[in-house]
Each structure stands twice: as C-alpha cells, then as structure tokens.
Amino acid sequence: GIFDCNDWAVMTDVPVALNRWGARGFPMIPHGKPNPWVDMASWGIGNTQAKKGVETNPLNSLVFRAAWYALRSSKKIHKHEWVVKVDPDTVWFPVRLRAHLQAYMPGHGNGWDTVFLKNCQRFDSMQGPIEVISKSAAMKIEQEMEQCQGVYGSGEDQFIVKCMERLGINALMEQTLLLDQYCHGYMDCTDKWRVAFHPHKALSDFDNCHKRSLQAEIKGAGS
C-alpha cells in the first residue's frame, strides 16, 4: 500500500498516531502537534464529512480541495515524480505501478509528462479508487487550482478530472491499472499485473485479495 511509496500521507480530520491503537482506534495527537520521534502521524486537514449524492456517492470535492491545499503547503510535490491518491478500500501494489509507468508512459515514468491516467475504459474515466497524476501535472494543479473554483460540489474524482481538463492537462488511458467492481463488473485478485483492486472494505477481504494477487505474482515469476 501507500507505505511502500517513497513518501506518503494519510489525511484525517485531526492528526492521529497511526503507529498506536487506543480504546477508540488511532489516538488523537495532543494539541495536534506530532512528535517526529514518537508519532507516525496523519495529516489533519479539518472536517472530512461529505454529503451523499446519486447512488450514495459522496460529494467530497471540498474535502479533496483541502487535501490538495495541504499537499501544496507541504512543498513535497517537486520532490517526487508522481502523485498517487488511493481510497482506503483499494488493494494496490506500488512496485507494479512503477513498472507500468516505466513501460507505458512517453517519458518512461520520469514524471515530466503533463498527464493523468484514466483507468476505466467502460466510462472513459479516471475512477477514484486510484488516481495517478504526473509531477508536472500536479505542480500545475498546485499553482493554478484557484482556476477550478467553479467545479466544486461533486465527487472528488469528477472534480479533479474537470479541474485538470480546465488546466489543459492531458489524459492517457491505462486500462490495466485498476480492476474495479463498478467499472469492470467483476473481481479477480489473481491478476498478477494489475496495480489496484477495488472495493475491499472488510479487513479479511482486503488481506485475502492482497495475498492472492501476491501469490499469483510469485507463482508467475517461478513458472
């Protein structure tokens, strides 16, 4: 998952310690000030509650605007080649994503292609379970997000796609990136090349999918 990336951030209402477990889950960090020697801290970005839209899809674009502002304030984008957002119920493999980017991108994954990746051929869309945006595109969003003020009030994946289209960022279809129940209509965790699988909300289901895909990869490497 994200902890296999070169850098990562978990966005929450208030900062919590991800390396500890309390009576009510991850404990809040006192006064919102993490101790880097003790706390594996999430990023507190304020209220993450969102209204439900059609078919209970969350209208969470304002939450993700706050997340992008936090990312901009961190000044971390320029240090990395790609920005990847994943949902908590997405099983995914960063090492596979690196291989996909090197194999399929015009710049072979160097992050300087100003692109984002669509992942659903059926809807010709970038579905929210995994969103992959190049460094160049992310820096453009970071610098010009204020131009996207008129596209809020929708789901975050629709918001960010409309924002990038408004900013002139191109899309590339990478149809082996995601296997999504809502896009593809089926689930097969034994796919050893697919980067991400969604949805897997139950912990046991999540772990089982991760294990099956990893086993298929190991078996394929040994054949």
Side-chain angles (χ1 to χ4, degrees), residues 100-120:
H100 280 237
L101 295 174
Q102 290 170 0
Y104 299 142
M105 293 300 100
H108 303 292
N110 64 15
W112 288 111
D113 304 312
T114 308
V115 298
F116 67 96
L117 302 188
K118 292 183 176 181
N119 51 34
C120 177

Side-chain angles (χ1 to χ4, degrees), residues 58-61 151 153-160:
L59 303 178
N60 53 0
S61 57
V151 299
S154 61
E156 56 84 18
D157 49 353
Q158 298 174 41
F159 150 68
I160 198 64

Side-chain angles (χ1 to χ4, degrees), residues 15-217:
V16 299
L18 301 172
N19 57 330
R20 296 197 296 279
W21 191 255
R24 297 183 179 180
F26 297 119
M28 289 189 295
I29 293 174
H31 311 296
K33 296 180 179 180
N35 180 341
W37 298 102
V38 176
D39 300 315
M40 178 192 252
S42 68
W43 293 13
I45 62 170
N47 188 1
T48 59
Q49 299 298 310
K51 295 180 179 179
K52 296 293 185 180
V54 177
E55 298 180 356
T56 72
N57 291 328
L59 303 178
N60 53 0
S61 57
L62 292 175
V63 175
F64 278 79
R65 179 181 66 176
W68 272 96
Y69 283 155
L71 187 57
R72 179 168 67 183
S73 297
S74 75
K75 302 186 184 303
K76 288 190 173 187
I77 289 178
H78 72 281
K79 299 178 181 179
H80 304 289
E81 295 174 340
W82 295 84
V83 174
V84 183
K85 169 260 169 186
V86 290
D87 287 348
D89 59 346
T90 300
V91 174
W92 77 294
F93 298 86
V95 66
R96 295 184 193 175
L97 177 58
R98 293 186 183 103
H100 280 237
L101 295 174
Q102 290 170 0
Y104 299 142
M105 293 300 100
H108 303 292
N110 64 15
W112 288 111
D113 304 312
T114 308
V115 298
F116 67 96
L117 302 188
K118 292 183 176 181
N119 51 34
C120 177
Q121 189 85 45
R122 177 183 177 186
F123 300 129
D124 189 31
S125 63
M126 181 177 74
Q127 299 295 95
I130 182 167
E131 300 172 8
V132 182
I133 302 170
S134 71
K135 171 182 182 174
S136 179
M139 291 175 67
K140 193 171 182 65
I141 296 170
E142 178 183 59
Q143 295 162 6
E144 302 179 30
M145 183 176 288
E146 282 68 23
Q147 294 187 30
C148 299
Q149 295 291 347
V151 299
Y152 294 113
S154 61
E156 56 84 18
D157 49 353
Q158 298 174 41
F159 150 68
I160 198 64
V161 168
K162 290 178 180 176
C163 179
M164 289 188 288
E165 289 174 343
R166 179 172 292 187
L167 298 178
I169 298 170
N170 296 320
L172 290 177
M173 176 61 69
E174 213 293 68
Q175 57 185 325
T176 63
L177 181 65
L178 170 68
L179 187 55
D180 178 54
Q181 182 70 44
Y182 306 113
C183 172
H184 299 90
Y186 72 97
M187 182 53 57
D188 178 12
C189 292
T190 62
D191 190 320
K192 60 181 180 293
W193 177 240
R194 196 82 59 163
V195 172
F197 305 85
H198 177 267
H200 295 282
K201 297 183 183 299
L203 181 58
S204 58
D205 183 35
F206 187 100
D207 287 344
N208 183 54
C209 181
H210 186 276
K211 181 179 179 180
R212 290 174 64 200
S213 190
L214 198 57
Q215 286 176 338
E217 183 179 330

